[in-house]
Amino acid sequence: MTEKTFDPAARTYYLDTSTLSYAFNSATGAAPTPSPELAALLPWVDRVANGANLCLSFVHVAECGDRHPASDGDAYARWLDSLPFVWAMTTEEAEHREAEELLKRSLGLIPRPSFRPFRWRGRSFASTLQEARRETWGPLKQLASILTARTRSDLAERAAHGVSDKDLLRFVASRTRLLMQRLAEDAHQRLIRRRDADYLSVALAADFPERFAMLFEQDLTTMRGFRICEAATNVLIRNAAERDPGSKAERRDLPGFTGDQLHAMAGAGYCDVFTCDWETLKWVGPIRKDLGLPEPLSLKNHPGGASGFVKALTAT
């Protein structure tokens, strides 16, 4: 196991499973790669892992769990464990820590955002993979299909009751504000239980949940994982409204949608370099632009083809 501690002074890289697989397959021949140019990714990934922060999440593990142990799954895990990598927090861990930072910022304890969702776990990729295989990835692969069906039902009910777009937006804004206030109250309780010295040093105003929600609304760089989750939900709603049930596009996109969303929540809002598939790039790209981060990179539809993708990625 070569897990390492996150280095805040180094660049951060979050490569999706496809990109990591291109590097692995080019070295082992375990599976064909779309282009021979992708072989250049193998030594580059090694350099990134040793000289920067190569970030992996439980989504990488879950997707690897789909690989049969008798094929290349275990070899792929051993390869990743040979690299010095950094674990990303789970989505719940990240939301809790980010909410605590935002609460402290709303009280003037922290001047600017500094949260990065990475932590030491003391776990190898291979050992975590065994847990993922026991849990299975199947239910999460079905989640987007279930949510799409529910969304279509909600859209039909909304139309039947004549709910306008304006009314819906007002409801969503109100719901989000209440959720932010609840996150502030939960963060307050965690900080009290931990006896956080900085937090306990200030007099807490009774309106701290409102201050938290107001800062969230004013500063679009806050609660990044939450904002990415909301953006993914909006994509799912739009697709449910525009696509035919069971269409080719749905059969292609829905099984992997939740994994793509969770990858984005883990790394897209925080990492200097983020790779993903083309459909994810279309909705994650604008968010990263708003955050001042470079555009995501995707092999599919890259204007330079495979060689252009490799050149752009290895130049980061």
Side-chain angles (χ1 to χ4, degrees):
M1 178 183 71
T2 51
E3 176 191 2
K4 68 178 183 180
T5 302
F6 175 74
D7 180 359
R11 287 172 63 78
T12 55
Y13 292 76
Y14 191 103
L15 308 178
D16 66 326
T17 299
S18 292
T19 302
L20 290 169
S21 294
Y22 297 149
F24 172 75
N25 292 337
S26 69
T28 63
T33 56
S35 174
E37 288 96 335
L38 296 171
L41 292 177
L42 183 70
W44 175 79
V45 168
D46 186 83
R47 290 196 298 273
V48 166
N50 282 281
N53 296 299
L54 176 64
C55 305
L56 301 178
S57 73
F58 82 96
V59 195
H60 288 105
V61 179
E63 290 178 337
C64 181
D66 272 354
R67 299 169 182 253
H68 193 277
S71 61
D72 66 339
D74 290 343
Y76 178 76
R78 287 194 297 272
W79 171 63
L80 289 175
D81 274 331
S82 74
L83 302 171
F85 67 84
V86 174
W87 279 118
M89 293 180 182
T90 66
T91 54
E92 182 179 50
E93 287 176 310
E95 182 174 89
H96 285 181
R97 292 292 182 263
E98 199 162 17
E100 289 166 14
E101 179 186 87
L102 183 58
L103 180 55
K104 288 184 175 183
R105 282 188 64 206
S106 71
L107 299 173
L109 289 171
I110 300 177
R112 62 185 64 85
S114 60
F115 172 75
R116 307 298 287 277
F118 310 106
R119 57 162 291 187
W120 173 267
R121 290 194 178 279
R123 298 291 304 275
S124 69
F125 191 94
S127 64
T128 311
L129 175 59
Q130 299 311 312
E131 293 182 11
R133 283 181 172 144
R134 288 193 295 270
E135 296 293 330
T136 77
W137 183 231
L140 276 177
K141 291 171 72 173
Q142 299 168 16
L143 182 58
S145 296
I146 294 170
L147 293 177
T148 296
R150 290 181 181 174
T151 297
R152 288 197 171 106
S153 176
D154 291 343
L155 290 171
E157 186 174 353
R158 173 190 160 194
H161 287 82
V163 179
S164 68
D165 290 342
K166 185 177 181 180
D167 288 340
L168 181 63
L169 289 174
R170 187 182 298 113
F171 168 76
V172 170
S174 175
R175 183 203 63 180
T176 301
R177 174 168 271 268
L178 288 173
L179 177 59
M180 286 300 118
Q181 292 173 358
R182 191 174 303 121
L183 288 176
E185 291 165 355
D186 291 344
H188 165 72
Q189 293 298 331
R190 289 193 300 273
L191 290 167
I192 292 294
R193 285 196 300 271
R194 291 208 307 270
R195 302 199 59 78
D196 184 282
D198 290 337
Y199 190 69
L200 293 174
S201 70
V202 299
L204 188 64
D207 66 345
F208 73 90
E210 288 75 19
R211 293 189 186 189
F212 180 101
M214 186 177 299
L215 184 54
F216 168 80
E217 292 167 356
Q218 294 172 345
D219 187 347
L220 299 182
T221 68
T222 58
M223 300 300 294
R224 298 182 180 194
F226 176 86
R227 294 181 192 278
I228 289 171
C229 181
E230 289 285 279
T233 300
N234 289 337
V235 170
L236 206 63
I237 293 171
R238 185 179 68 244
N239 288 345
E242 296 176 354
R243 293 175 173 178
D244 293 328
S247 65
K248 180 179 179 181
E250 283 203 347
R251 295 195 305 272
R252 177 195 66 210
D253 295 339
L254 287 182
F257 187 88
T258 301
D260 294 335
Q261 174 185 341
L262 292 171
H263 273 308
M265 290 174 67
Y270 312 94
C271 294
D272 300 299
V273 179
F274 181 79
T275 67
C276 56
D277 67 17
W278 175 247
E279 292 300 318
T280 304
L281 182 148
K282 289 190 289 187
W283 62 266
V284 164
I287 298 175
R288 284 179 61 84
K289 183 177 180 180
D290 289 344
L291 294 173
L293 295 169
E295 185 176 20
L297 291 170
S298 174
L299 174 61
K300 184 178 180 181
N301 292 337
H302 193 282
S307 61
F309 171 73
V310 170
K311 183 177 180 179
L313 188 54
T314 56
T316 59

